[in-house]
Amino acid sequence: MTLCLFQTRTGKASHKYAPSASGTWHLSEEVIFLVFQRLNWNPKSVATLSCVCKWFDDLAKRVLWKEFCKTRAPKMMLDLQSSGSHSVDGNWRALGKLLIYCSGCTKGGLFNSIHVPGHFVYRTRFSRTSGKSFLLPQCRTDVLYVSDPCEHLDQGEEGDIGFFRGIFKSFATSKVRKMLIKREAQLHPTEVCPYCKAKLWSMLQAKMVPASASCRLGAYEDAIEYYVCLNGHVLGICTLLPLSDSEEASDHKGKKMIKVLGLFYVRHARHHCH
């Protein structure tokens, strides 16, 4: 980060204070950087600072949210920037919010389901490997990070609901975006991304939700819907399988794998005997 050197009222160089657009004097970027570094880039403190004035809001968007993202998910951030970009699709504040905020849904809104209030989460794991399960085979060279589902249980007739979110790397050049355009997918007429306010494509409407997504989420195959915005942010909902059903499915897969490995061992042994 380039640290700015500002002038005090007396004209002497100072690292401590900087002028704002209103003519008042603020602490410089260097001092604020050190303060928030000490606070370990606490997102609530960053959000509070950004509400003070335009200068602080700009600093938070350019520097503080970026440092928060790098601290919260360092490997993911390195990967997202490895294409040579010094920024991410959307902006750092939107990505910071995506890392820690489950958007929920409103009845008659994006998912036209039930009302589940959005809320902040302490920590969520995002996985590039899981992201492959949400892509059609012809798009699996794209890089997509997807979170574990945020579980909201006993939602009346809807049962157990899970919300998931994610982000594409270099979405503007992704195969998913090209396929959405090729299939003439329509942007949602009213709803926008809760993280960056960009327009949204429905992956379900474009018939681009693979069956592998339900296995990854532990959800019913016909009860998954997700959207991707123009900046590559993903948000989705699913109806989760009952725990017993999930365990049975997992056990079935485990037995099948043991059987395959057993056949491999027998064939391998026969080959060496001959």
Side-chain angles (χ1 to χ4, degrees), residues 25-182:
W25 294 79
H26 292 308
L27 291 172
S28 74
E29 290 189 16
E30 180 181 7
V31 174
I32 295 173
F33 183 91
L34 293 173
V35 169
F36 278 86
Q37 186 179 55
R38 183 73 175 176
L39 293 172
N40 197 31
W41 316 107
N42 183 285
K44 290 184 179 179
S45 299
V46 175
T48 301
L49 181 78
S50 67
C51 294
V52 174
C53 68
K54 187 176 180 180
W55 190 82
F56 282 138
D57 185 48
D58 177 67
L59 174 63
K61 285 190 288 188
R62 288 188 295 105
V63 179
L64 304 182
W65 283 117
K66 178 180 179 180
E67 295 301 325
F68 165 74
C69 291
K70 287 168 62 178
T71 302
R72 180 58 64 98
K75 291 182 179 179
M76 178 175 160
M77 294 308 120
L78 280 174
D79 189 23
L80 290 177
Q81 290 188 282
S82 63
S83 59
S85 172
H86 295 290
S87 183
V88 295
D89 293 334
N91 57 57
W92 288 107
R93 179 168 60 184
L95 181 54
K97 185 178 179 180
L98 184 140
L99 290 177
I100 59 174
Y101 185 71
C102 169
S103 62
C105 67
T106 56
K107 195 166 186 177
L110 190 62
F111 298 109
N112 197 30
S113 181
I114 55 176
H115 178 67
V116 178
H119 63 95
F120 289 95
V121 293
Y122 175 68
R123 189 175 295 275
T124 304
R125 185 179 68 90
F126 284 77
S127 169
R128 175 172 171 164
T129 303
S130 294
K132 297 293 182 187
S133 301
F134 293 80
L135 303 173
L136 294 176
Q138 56 268 48
C139 295
R140 285 181 182 165
T141 54
D142 287 349
V143 174
L144 169 62
Y145 285 87
V146 174
S147 72
D148 293 330
C150 180
E151 298 184 2
H152 295 261
L153 308 180
D154 302 321
Q155 298 297 318
E157 292 181 359
E158 299 293 331
D160 297 340
I161 299 296
F163 292 96
F164 56 95
R165 55 198 192 279
I167 183 170
F168 278 88
K169 176 182 177 180
S170 303
F171 182 66
T173 58
S174 67
K175 290 184 177 180
V176 164
R177 183 177 181 275
K178 290 176 183 176
M179 184 175 289
L180 284 165
I181 293 171
K182 185 177 180 180

Side-chain angles (χ1 to χ4, degrees), residues 182-257:
K182 185 177 180 180
R183 294 189 176 189
E184 299 181 344
Q186 298 298 307
L187 293 167
H188 198 285
T190 57
E191 299 294 326
V192 296
C193 175
Y195 303 107
C196 69
K197 307 304 180 185
K199 290 285 189 178
L200 295 156
W201 274 302
S202 170
M203 298 291 278
L204 182 63
Q205 186 183 57
K207 298 180 180 179
M208 292 176 63
V209 180
S212 53
S214 60
C215 295
R216 178 63 65 175
L217 291 166
Y220 292 101
E221 285 187 19
D222 58 348
I224 298 175
E225 185 175 5
Y226 75 93
Y227 290 81
V228 58
C229 80
L230 295 174
N231 288 317
H233 302 135
V234 168
L235 59 153
I237 188 173
C238 63
T239 302
L240 299 169
L241 286 163
L243 186 60
S244 58
D245 289 357
S246 299
E247 288 173 341
E248 285 172 10
S250 226
D251 186 51
H252 175 71
K253 288 179 184 176
K255 288 177 179 177
K256 186 175 180 181
M257 181 60 72

Side-chain angles (χ1 to χ4, degrees), residues 5-19 25:
L5 185 65
F6 298 101
Q7 299 293 318
T8 64
R9 290 179 187 272
T10 60
K12 295 180 181 180
S14 170
H15 290 277
K16 295 183 179 180
Y17 297 97
W25 294 79

